[in-house]
Amino acid sequence: MTRQEQKGETFRALHAGEPFVIPNPWDAGSARVLEAIGFKALASTSSGFAFTLGRLDGGATLDEVVEHARTLDRMTDLPVSVDLENGYGPSPEDAARAVVRVAEAGAVGASIEDWDPSGHLYELRHAADRIASAAEAAHRLGVPFLLTARAENHIRGHPDLDDTIARLRAFEAAGADVLYAPGLRTPDDIRAVCDAVSKPVNVLALPGMSFAEIVGAGARRVSVGGGLTWVAVNAAAAAAREILDRGDFSVLTGSPPLREWFA
């Protein structure tokens, strides 16, 4: 069994076991720290990765994301799933191509969303066709690979739960392995989604809901999106402000245990 096959089998087994958190590293160092702390799988964050390039979310190219996926895969022994945004193109073929590209870089999972960066949700049939094409590509790779289908309603100004459920059902029928509607804010909404589908549901963690509450509502996987990136960036910015505004260097703490984490 190849290294990628082993990672793929591990990733598939995680979704068949107990609910788990899949954190979102933004670079190689954060990926290694998350592995050392004890997480079992990683998912990239488009917003966090774009930040490392000095850009806003959506600003990375597919070529850059492929190289990022390759780096995350090589730097840890954990399965890696890649945030592919809309697949870097509107067509079903674009979504399929993006899946193949990151799989060739070592990833064993990826997500495709139904939001076009020009500013609109794809019509349901077209969105489902894109997932079908991506799922077909994923399932003929020759290695275990889980496709996550994202319904973006709740983070794109259209928090229509019925439409979100209709989209996730269509994506499940199209072959998605995991379903995801970022922006669900209550256990009741999470439960409604989980009860409406049979595939594992990923939930984006938000302040105000605990892991126990999220999985109690039926979620199998919990991600944090760009959340950890912004924790790190906000902490650095706050310390920098103290230095600039007050000349206070007491905010500079010692190095973390990198020799232990990077052993």
Side-chain angles (χ1 to χ4, degrees):
M1 186 179 291
T2 67
R3 181 172 180 268
Q4 187 177 22
E5 288 171 338
Q6 290 174 335
K7 288 189 175 188
E9 292 291 352
T10 297
F11 199 41
R12 189 178 298 279
L14 280 171
H15 288 80
E18 294 298 315
F20 67 102
V21 176
I22 184 167
N24 303 80
W26 56 98
D27 61 10
S30 60
R32 295 194 68 184
V33 170
L34 293 169
E35 179 181 34
I37 287 172
F39 289 100
K40 302 302 183 184
L42 303 172
S44 72
T45 159
S46 63
S47 60
F49 176 54
F51 170 80
T52 70
L53 302 175
R55 304 173 198 161
L56 296 175
D57 193 11
T61 67
L62 177 57
D63 286 342
E64 289 168 333
V65 169
V66 169
E67 287 308 308
H68 179 52
R70 182 173 287 112
T71 296
L72 295 181
D73 172 63
R74 288 178 175 175
M75 293 305 295
T76 82
D77 291 326
L78 300 182
V80 173
S81 183
V82 181
D83 183 347
L84 288 175
E85 302 182 67
N86 75 320
Y88 303 92
S91 74
E93 293 76 18
D94 291 324
R97 182 185 71 248
V99 165
V100 172
R101 290 284 307 278
V102 295
E104 290 172 345
V108 293
S111 63
I112 295 288
E113 64 192 44
D114 60 357
W115 174 257
D116 189 278
S118 67
H120 66 274
L121 291 164
Y122 295 118
E123 180 272 328
L124 177 56
R125 179 172 294 181
H126 181 62
D129 286 345
R130 286 164 35 81
I131 295 301
S133 181
E136 182 181 0
H139 299 155
R140 67 168 181 248
L141 286 168
V143 297
F145 191 101
L146 297 185
L147 178 72
T148 299
R150 293 176 49 149
E152 299 282 291
N153 272 333
H154 284 72
I155 60 171
R156 303 296 182 180
H158 189 248
D160 182 331
L161 187 61
D162 289 340
D163 186 61
T164 294
I165 289 173
R167 286 172 176 268
L168 294 176
R169 282 174 167 166
F171 299 162
E172 179 176 24
D177 302 295
V178 180
L179 303 168
Y180 181 18
L184 300 177
R185 294 185 175 274
T186 69
D188 285 345
D189 284 353
I190 295 170
R191 186 173 294 106
V193 167
C194 293
D195 287 348
V197 297
S198 62
K199 294 293 178 66
V201 172
N202 183 95
V203 169
L204 176 66
L206 296 170
M209 277 195 297
S210 68
F211 178 74
E213 289 173 315
I214 294 170
V215 302
R220 303 291 302 168
R221 190 176 87 182
V222 181
S223 59
V224 300
L228 284 176
T229 310
W230 311 137
V231 169
V233 172
N234 286 329
R241 288 193 189 99
E242 289 296 309
I243 293 170
L244 178 64
D245 296 343
R246 297 181 174 82
D248 180 4
F249 296 106
S250 67
V251 295
L252 299 177
T253 60
S255 298
L258 293 182
R259 290 187 181 278
E260 174 187 339
W261 289 344
F262 291 179

